[in-house]
Amino acid sequence: MFKNVTGDWPTHERFILTSCDDLYFIKYFPRFYKTYKKHWKLPVHVHLIDPSDNSIQRLDGLDVSYTYCTTDKSVLKWPYSYETYCQAQRFILLGYNMLENQSVIVADVDSYALKTPNEAQKETLRSDMAFSTYNGRLMATFCNFHHGRRTQARRSAVMMQELIEQTDRIGVDQLVIKKVFKRLPYNDLKHSVWIRHRNVKTKQDLKEHNNRLIYHEKGTRGKYKPIEITWTDIQN
């Protein structure tokens, strides 16, 4: 699935992992980087899929670690969603590489941090696996993988890779995460505090979204809004 993965997996005990293709990286990463660095103060690791030379140069100028790869398109069973394939890569990479002392926050690159977590909220992530839920699903938008579940993390990576290579199923990451982790103990990232999994259609929706630790919009409506933080805001 991965062709020529370049770069080293980080050795930090705690860090934030995101993964995306070049288009999402160019559009969303400045906001992701600036807000998570400000509010979470943790190392950031980026896995880029099919990056341009310019994107690699940009990463070299930032305080991040990174890996990147090119897509082996022969394993994709079209009309398999390339976006979903990209989303699954972070969990596959994590499952195969997670070290015995690591706990890793996984976040969508088009999410961003709104508030600084307090110590109790940080402990919610440090102490176990952590997911928010929506319509019975464990959500992959913002979650925590704990070193005590390394065996399950690897199992989920294997399952995702097999599904991508053998089927054209959409939503592989959420399907596998629910199957592997739903019945295990995990900390519930409550909607009222952590993240709201709804479209923003009204002023009340926007108010509710802005009152969480993490901001993310479902659907395409939020994807087309102007991104106020640009590359010039994070580059020296």
Side-chain angles (χ1 to χ4, degrees), residues 93-232:
L93 193 73
L94 172 61
Y96 283 120
N97 291 280
M98 190 176 185
L99 303 177
E100 63 180 10
N101 64 335
Q102 288 184 326
S103 291
V104 182
I105 296 170
V106 185
D108 281 7
V109 74
D110 59 344
S111 72
Y112 59 98
L114 282 170
K115 299 179 180 180
T116 302
N118 60 36
E119 285 304 312
Q121 290 160 347
K122 292 177 182 178
E123 183 60 23
T124 297
L125 297 185
R126 284 193 294 257
S127 60
D128 206 340
M129 299 289 293
F131 297 98
S132 59
T133 60
Y134 181 74
N135 288 342
R137 294 178 291 166
L138 300 186
M139 301 301 288
T141 311
F142 180 89
C143 56
N144 186 74
F145 273 58
H146 189 267
H147 56 79
R149 307 289 185 206
R150 287 176 66 219
T151 299
Q152 290 85 357
R154 185 174 181 84
R155 179 185 168 207
S156 68
V158 172
M159 291 174 66
M160 287 183 198
Q161 186 166 348
E162 288 177 347
L163 281 172
I164 289 172
E165 293 176 351
Q166 297 171 10
T167 74
D168 62 352
R169 186 148 190 171
I170 303 300
V172 161
D173 53 343
Q174 287 189 340
L175 174 73
V176 172
I177 284 172
K178 180 178 179 180
K179 185 172 183 178
V180 174
F181 296 105
K182 181 71 171 179
R183 297 184 182 278
L184 295 174
Y186 65 88
N187 291 332
D188 186 7
L189 304 181
K190 301 293 187 182
H191 288 188
S192 59
V193 175
W194 288 88
I195 187 169
R196 187 172 186 261
H197 297 291
R198 295 185 183 278
N199 270 316
V200 175
K201 298 179 180 180
T202 67
K203 290 182 178 179
Q204 184 60 32
D205 284 329
L206 183 60
K207 181 180 179 180
E208 293 288 337
H209 260 65
N210 282 328
N211 197 35
R212 305 311 194 259
L213 285 167
I214 306 299
Y215 189 102
H216 184 263
E217 289 192 27
K218 290 180 64 62
T220 59
R221 185 176 284 102
K223 301 292 189 287
Y224 299 115
K225 290 182 178 179
I227 307 299
E228 296 179 356
I229 298 174
T230 65
W231 285 97
T232 55

